[in-house]
């Protein structure tokens, strides 16, 4: 993976990780996820790091993860297990991070990059940020603990984001509904983030989770959601959606793989675990 895919800087106890793949909108490719996992593990053990800030380079914070792009032909039970494992590990790496973590959303955030942000201590939003969780449009259930965190955190605004409306609040709107802690002018985002991180160090801030929920409860929610998500990923609705999307992007071989999986699903679904049929 490119050495500069994830930039790291530590100053006065504050480590900033910057996702640095603007050409791909800082999307969570397998390489980016692996880089994040390594960096979170290392900074979690690093005595010089008291607070972590995660942000993005360029116009986007993160375009989210396309787990479907990593699906390859395999035994259906193995595919199901693979999706469960990858999705669960993605959010567990945030939940298991032991130090205060601040998300500085510098631009549009999509999918898993939104739900993972709500699992951290706080979210600062640029006035250029937007927050999108298009699960219903993709034909998949909520992930990143959002099936339980969003209703408690956002109230009546949760179904607007998670449901068919697919509402994408701006940074200012996100701050009003409680999705973000505060919205700041774009050019001031990192200055404000560093100031808050230094204040946390002075105040002895510890790792906190949304609404006083425990890490153990959130790990359990993530495990349950990951199994449900894996089942949805192997249903015709999602597989055909991926086929149409990839075909429109002229990724024809991968698109045809999804078409084949969708059309043959009635024949191989009995090979899935009972809960996934």
């Amino acid at each position: 993976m490119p050495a500069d895919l994830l930039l790291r800087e530590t100053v006065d106890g504050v480590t900033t990780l910057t996702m640095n793949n603007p050409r791909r909108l800082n999307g969570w490719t397998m390489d980016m996820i692996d880089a994040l996992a390594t960096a979170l593990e290392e900074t979690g053990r690093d005595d010089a790091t008291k607070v972590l800030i995660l942000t993005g380079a360029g116009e986007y914070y993160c375009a989210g993860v396309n787990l479907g792009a990593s699906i390859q032909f395999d035994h259906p039970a193995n595919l199901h297990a693979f999706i469960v494992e990858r999705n669960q590990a993605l959010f567990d790496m945030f939940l298991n991070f032991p130090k205060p973590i601040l998300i500085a959303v510098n631009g549009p955030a999509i999918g898993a990059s939104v739900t993972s942000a709500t699992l951290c201590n706080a979210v600062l939003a640029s006035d250029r940020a937007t927050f999108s969780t298009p699960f219903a449009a993709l034909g998949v259930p909520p992930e990143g603990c959002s099936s339980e965190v969003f209703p408690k955190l956002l109230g009546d605004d949760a179904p607007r984001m998670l449901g068919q409306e697919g509402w994408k609040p701006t940074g200012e709107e996100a701050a009003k509904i409680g999705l973000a802690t505060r919205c700041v002018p774009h050019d001031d985002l990192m200055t404000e983030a560093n100031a808050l991180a230094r204040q946390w160090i002075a105040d002895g801030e510890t790792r906190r989770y949304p609404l006083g929920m425990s890490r153990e409860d959130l790990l359990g929610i993530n495990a349950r959601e990951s199994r449900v998500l894996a089942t949805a990923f192997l249903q015709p609705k999602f597989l055909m959606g991926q086929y149409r999307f990839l075909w429109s992007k002229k990724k024809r071989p991968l698109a045809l793989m999804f078409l084949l999986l969708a059309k043959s699903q009635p024949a191989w679904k009995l090979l899935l675990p009972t809960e996934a049929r």
Side-chain angles (χ1 to χ4, degrees):
M1 78 183 60
D4 60 353
L5 191 61
L6 190 66
L7 306 179
R8 185 188 312 189
E9 180 183 36
T10 302
V11 178
D12 297 331
V14 179
T15 294
T16 300
L17 296 178
T18 303
M19 297 176 286
N20 187 40
N21 193 6
R23 186 176 66 84
R24 298 284 296 274
L25 309 179
N26 300 322
W28 282 351
T29 61
M30 294 300 106
D31 282 348
M32 181 68 85
I33 292 172
D34 289 343
L36 272 172
T38 298
L40 289 174
E41 183 178 352
E42 291 175 353
T43 53
R45 297 195 310 261
D46 178 19
D47 291 339
T49 298
K50 307 302 181 186
V51 172
L52 177 68
I53 298 172
L54 179 63
T55 192
E59 296 182 358
Y60 268 63
Y61 170 67
C62 176
V65 60
N66 184 4
L67 188 57
S70 65
I71 294 177
Q72 298 181 6
F73 279 113
D74 200 344
H75 189 284
N78 293 339
L79 279 175
H80 190 268
F82 169 80
I83 297 167
V84 172
E85 178 185 358
R86 293 299 299 201
N87 189 78
Q88 188 171 344
L90 173 62
F91 298 104
D92 278 359
M93 72 183 183
F94 285 92
L95 291 170
N96 289 325
F97 188 74
K99 300 175 182 180
I101 178 168
L102 173 61
I103 307 299
V105 183
N106 56 292
I110 301 173
S113 69
V114 176
T115 55
S116 62
T118 66
L119 304 177
C120 300
N121 283 60
V123 178
L124 278 186
S126 156
D127 56 12
R128 298 181 189 174
T130 56
F131 296 81
S132 173
T133 51
F135 306 128
L138 294 172
V140 297
E143 38 83 306
C145 303
S146 60
S147 65
E148 297 199 27
V149 170
F150 271 40
K152 295 176 182 178
L153 184 67
L154 307 178
D156 291 342
D157 290 308
R160 295 189 63 198
M161 291 190 66
L162 296 176
Q164 290 294 336
E165 180 182 347
W167 181 44
K168 297 187 291 186
T170 63
E172 184 176 353
E173 290 169 331
K176 287 181 179 178
I177 65 174
L179 183 62
T181 309
R182 194 163 78 245
C183 179
V184 301
H186 182 77
D187 292 342
D188 298 336
L189 178 65
M190 295 313 297
T191 299
E192 293 285 343
N194 278 281
L196 179 56
R198 290 193 296 271
Q199 186 62 51
W200 282 358
I201 294 173
D203 293 344
E205 174 84 355
T206 59
R207 181 69 167 95
R208 291 183 290 104
Y209 299 94
L211 305 165
M213 300 175 75
S214 71
R215 181 177 69 94
E216 290 72 22
D217 284 346
L218 290 164
L219 288 169
I221 294 167
N222 183 34
R224 291 193 297 273
E225 285 183 346
S226 295
R227 293 192 295 270
V228 174
L229 183 76
T231 298
F233 266 46
L234 297 176
Q235 299 303 311
K237 181 178 180 180
F238 174 78
L239 296 170
M240 287 301 297
Q242 288 292 297
Y243 158 70
R244 287 189 291 268
F245 172 76
L246 292 165
W247 191 266
S248 72
K249 298 296 183 181
K250 301 190 185 308
K251 297 181 179 180
R252 301 298 164 79
L254 189 57
L256 290 172
M257 184 196 77
F258 276 96
L259 178 62
L260 178 60
L261 285 171
K263 295 299 184 182
S264 61
Q265 200 260 7
W268 54 257
K269 68 178 180 180
L270 292 179
L271 299 175
L272 291 168
T274 302
E275 65 178 20
R277 295 175 187 170

